Amino acid sequence: MEDDEPVAESLRRGLLRYGFEVAWVSTGAAALSHTEPYDVVLLDLGLPDTDGLDVCKALRERGDVPIIVISARSDETDRVVGLELGADDYVSKPFGVREVIARIRAVMRRIQPRTPAAAEAGPDRYGARLTIDRKAARVRLDDEEVPLAPKEYDLLAFLTEEPGALMSREQIMEAVWDANWFGPTKTLDVHVAALRRKFAGAITIEAVRGVGFRLEIANSDKSDGGSGAS
């Protein structure tokens, strides 16, 4: 539920790009009139016809669908009230699409039953040399932790979600820097160069002229392949 069409459209495109199915409504009444089940609800508090907190309360009274509140309101009171009314998480505007996706995945993981295998799952390993611990936001190369700037980590984590996939510059900028980034896109090239330098021999990042980048895990006789993050 989001009444700001440009914001809603940008978020919808980002979610679709990551494989989510999206149904968008712009009013609280329209949201409450829907009866089909959803996996998660993204709820804007600033709706034109009613207070989003009232919608949050009504949705929670209906069932246990995960609710992530998205709002420009920075008042801590609204955040606390939203969580007390049953919201599972709260994201403040402006936000990046990747942040919202990370919150969705985190909420979904919390509500899904954990199997013994899932409970024991550790860091993702890529080839014989590279390990990414997404829970701790740490990266190790040959069992030694590699210090990374925040955006270097975000870029590496994004590109390793689908090794071998060609990612456009637009996809990468929106995921790592967010859709509202107005700085120079050369920033991306600088960060790619840093990752190439720090992980030489473990990964390669190919530049596809006019399109974007493709990350490949370096071949190794000891490697059994990489595992992506869910």
Side-chain angles (χ1 to χ4, degrees), residues 66-104:
I67 301 170
I68 299 177
V69 168
I70 298 178
S71 178
R73 302 181 186 178
S74 58
D75 193 325
E76 183 180 2
T77 301
D78 283 329
R79 183 187 297 266
V80 171
V81 172
L83 294 174
E84 288 181 344
L85 289 177
D88 296 270
D89 207 344
Y90 192 110
V91 180
S92 298
K93 295 179 181 178
F95 55 83
V97 172
R98 181 159 172 74
E99 177 186 1
V100 176
I101 290 171
R103 300 294 186 97
I104 291 173

Side-chain angles (χ1 to χ4, degrees), residues 12-229:
R12 188 187 72 85
R13 288 198 310 269
L15 292 172
L16 290 173
R17 188 174 293 124
Y18 279 83
F20 292 91
E21 295 182 11
V22 182
W24 167 50
V25 295
S26 60
T27 67
L32 295 175
S33 69
H34 281 246
T35 57
E36 59 265 43
Y38 293 104
D39 293 322
V40 64
V41 171
L42 303 180
L43 171 62
D44 183 13
L45 294 187
L47 298 172
D49 61 335
T50 186
D51 193 308
L53 291 173
D54 293 332
V55 177
C56 180
K57 181 179 180 182
L59 288 173
R60 180 53 66 234
E61 290 173 349
R62 291 184 178 185
D64 56 1
V65 60
I67 301 170
I68 299 177
V69 168
I70 298 178
S71 178
R73 302 181 186 178
S74 58
D75 193 325
E76 183 180 2
T77 301
D78 283 329
R79 183 187 297 266
V80 171
V81 172
L83 294 174
E84 288 181 344
L85 289 177
D88 296 270
D89 207 344
Y90 192 110
V91 180
S92 298
K93 295 179 181 178
F95 55 83
V97 172
R98 181 159 172 74
E99 177 186 1
V100 176
I101 290 171
R103 300 294 186 97
I104 291 173
R105 288 174 173 169
V107 166
M108 297 303 294
R109 283 196 297 269
R110 288 201 299 268
I111 68 170
Q112 291 171 350
R114 291 174 60 86
T115 64
E120 296 172 4
D124 294 312
R125 191 168 185 87
Y126 299 90
R129 304 183 59 195
L130 178 65
T131 303
I132 301 178
D133 185 342
R134 285 176 164 79
K135 184 175 181 180
R138 291 179 174 176
V139 179
R140 300 180 74 85
L141 181 64
D142 297 330
D143 296 324
E144 294 290 333
E145 185 170 345
V146 180
L148 295 175
K151 289 304 181 186
E152 290 175 355
Y153 171 81
D154 290 344
L155 177 59
L156 180 66
F158 175 70
L159 291 176
T160 51
E161 285 185 353
E162 296 183 66
L166 176 59
M167 298 296 184
S168 70
R169 297 179 73 92
E170 179 186 28
Q171 282 178 294
I172 298 170
M173 293 302 296
E174 185 168 310
V176 179
W177 278 268
D178 83 42
N180 298 314
W181 171 260
F182 294 108
T185 57
K186 188 69 174 176
T187 297
L188 172 55
D189 300 272
V190 171
H191 283 73
V192 166
L195 293 183
R196 285 172 172 159
R197 184 177 65 254
K198 293 181 178 182
F199 298 98
I203 62 172
T204 59
I205 303 178
E206 175 191 1
V208 179
R209 189 176 182 85
V211 182
F213 295 92
R214 177 189 290 113
L215 180 144
E216 298 279 4
I217 307 300
N219 292 327
S220 170
D221 293 336
K222 296 183 291 183
S223 172
D224 59 357
S227 64

